[in-house]
Amino acid sequence: MKKIILVLSLVLNNIWGLDISYGRGSYETEMSIKGLINPKFMEHDVDHDIDVFILSQPPTDFSTLPLFYYFDAQLHISDNKNTNTYFANYMADVQMPFFGSINDNLDRAVDMVAVNGDYKSVGFDLNFGVGYKLLQKGKSFLGIALNSGATLPNISAKHLKSKIEFAYNMMKKWDMDIKTYKIGPQIKAKWAFSPLFALEGGFGFGFEKMYVSSDLFKSNVDTKGSYSIFDIDLRYDSDGTYVISKNFYFKLGYVRKSWSVDAVDVNLFNFFEADILRPFDIDLSTNYGYFSVGYRF
């Protein structure tokens, strides 16, 4: 507790700038459950338009330590997207329902049946990092940081419809909660090419711990994966000529983030009476442009 209080006090005592940003972009979810023989048992791929709201602080020097820190908190809200999730459609000579045994008949799929629905995603992405400036000249610098944080998206669907009862029964409920905790290195840089303008950016990657809970599975999925972050912006520091105070600054930027987990076994007890393990893949990505208004305290 004392260490947490110390870190918070250092952060609060050293805040010098705070950005409030709005962005517009896209958010994509790619998810699949592989069959034992056929390539796919289930496949879901949806690309949303999103509104992004961001509160952040750019790299800031600690007053008592030769280090800098930064943080950002992002909320994204997607549109409603009417799209399909596809399930394997089994041959007519396979006895239904498939209860009581595990055999090759479960994978005798001839096509994929579409389950139509209205999908929406709401999520948070949090990042906090502490770093060291390797090079610095005036306002320009190059540094490396240890980035950590959490990503908490939720995917939900309504008005699910299907041509066959089997797939529809599996999709009566869809809510999927994803919790991702991450840590890894990140490069931060700033090039002040004039007294008022500068290019800022960063690139990072690392390991993530992901927890997925869904009505599709018997239990939660607990697995490891990877993530990456890229951002760049053009910053204008006001000299007080066109705005009320010279403490204001403005940014135009672009961000791309991705999260990936591959080939994790999930238990499909909710689909069949027997316990059936299938490989599960999920990839999440978001990219957006944004406009930011900041203030130097």
Side-chain angles (χ1 to χ4, degrees):
M1 179 60 72
K2 290 182 179 180
K3 292 181 179 180
I4 295 176
I5 294 175
L6 176 61
V7 172
L8 289 175
S9 64
L10 286 171
V11 170
L12 293 174
N13 288 332
N14 286 274
I15 287 180
W16 68 273
L18 197 62
D19 297 353
I20 298 175
S21 310
Y22 168 76
R24 180 75 176 172
S26 65
Y27 178 82
E28 184 176 9
T29 302
E30 295 183 49
M31 182 174 62
S32 67
I33 299 176
K34 292 183 173 64
L36 298 176
I37 297 176
N38 62 291
K40 296 288 178 63
F41 173 72
M42 185 273 283
E43 184 174 31
H44 175 75
D45 187 349
V46 60
D47 193 349
H48 292 280
D49 293 326
I50 57 170
D51 293 296
V52 186
F53 305 91
I54 311 154
L55 182 65
S56 62
Q57 182 173 357
T60 303
D61 293 335
F62 286 106
S63 59
T64 57
L65 298 172
L67 302 171
F68 68 88
Y69 76 96
Y70 62 89
F71 71 83
D72 65 77
Q74 167 195 312
L75 167 67
H76 81 249
I77 302 174
S78 80
D79 60 352
N80 285 296
K81 190 68 170 287
N82 184 269
T83 190
N84 294 323
T85 295
Y86 294 90
F87 284 87
N89 185 22
Y90 296 92
M91 294 175 62
D93 62 350
V94 177
Q95 185 177 357
M96 292 183 62
F98 309 121
F99 298 152
S101 65
I102 302 176
N103 54 59
D104 292 344
N105 286 341
L106 295 177
D107 284 288
R108 294 172 63 186
V110 293
D111 59 5
M112 301 294 282
V113 64
V115 180
N116 185 263
D118 296 324
Y119 292 84
K120 185 174 183 177
S121 177
V122 177
F124 292 93
D125 185 53
L126 309 173
N127 291 278
F128 177 83
V130 176
Y132 178 77
K133 292 182 179 179
L134 303 172
L135 300 171
Q136 184 165 13
K137 184 177 181 180
K139 294 182 179 180
S140 303
F141 74 90
L142 173 66
I144 187 167
L146 181 64
N147 185 77
S148 184
T151 306
L152 310 169
N154 171 268
I155 305 167
S156 61
K158 296 180 179 179
H159 310 125
L160 294 167
K161 298 178 181 179
S162 174
K163 296 178 181 178
I164 62 171
E165 185 176 358
F166 172 61
Y168 176 69
N169 288 336
M170 291 191 295
M171 295 291 295
K172 282 182 177 178
K173 295 183 179 180
W174 171 267
D175 284 330
M176 176 172 288
D177 290 308
I178 302 171
K179 299 179 178 66
T180 298
Y181 304 97
K182 55 195 171 184
I183 189 167
Q186 187 159 345
I187 297 172
K188 288 286 189 180
K190 179 179 179 179
W191 175 38
F193 57 87
S194 82
L196 299 181
F197 289 93
L199 281 175
E200 300 175 319
F203 171 74
F205 62 93
F207 302 101
E208 65 180 358
K209 185 71 172 177
M210 179 178 284
Y211 304 88
V212 182
S213 59
S214 172
D215 299 316
L216 298 173
F217 314 139
K218 177 182 178 181
S219 59
N220 295 350
V221 179
D222 178 354
T223 186
K224 297 177 182 178
S226 61
Y227 78 92
S228 65
I229 303 173
F230 170 76
D231 68 89
I232 189 169
D233 67 72
L234 175 64
R235 171 172 171 153
Y236 167 71
D237 286 282
S238 171
D239 60 0
T241 303
Y242 302 105
V243 296
I244 299 174
S245 171
K246 64 180 181 179
N247 290 334
F248 281 100
Y249 58 94
F250 305 89
K251 296 180 180 181
L252 285 175
Y254 170 80
V255 174
R256 178 171 178 80
K257 302 178 182 180
S258 63
W259 306 262
S260 179
V261 170
D262 296 320
V264 179
D265 286 341
V266 297
N267 193 314
L268 300 183
F269 181 82
N270 289 345
F271 290 174
F272 310 104
E273 285 187 353
D275 288 350
I276 301 175
L277 293 176
R278 297 291 180 90
F280 168 72
D281 294 349
I282 184 167
D283 295 289
L284 310 173
S285 64
T286 180
N287 63 88
Y288 58 88
Y290 69 89
F291 172 73
S292 175
V293 177
Y295 187 83
R296 295 185 297 272
F297 293 99

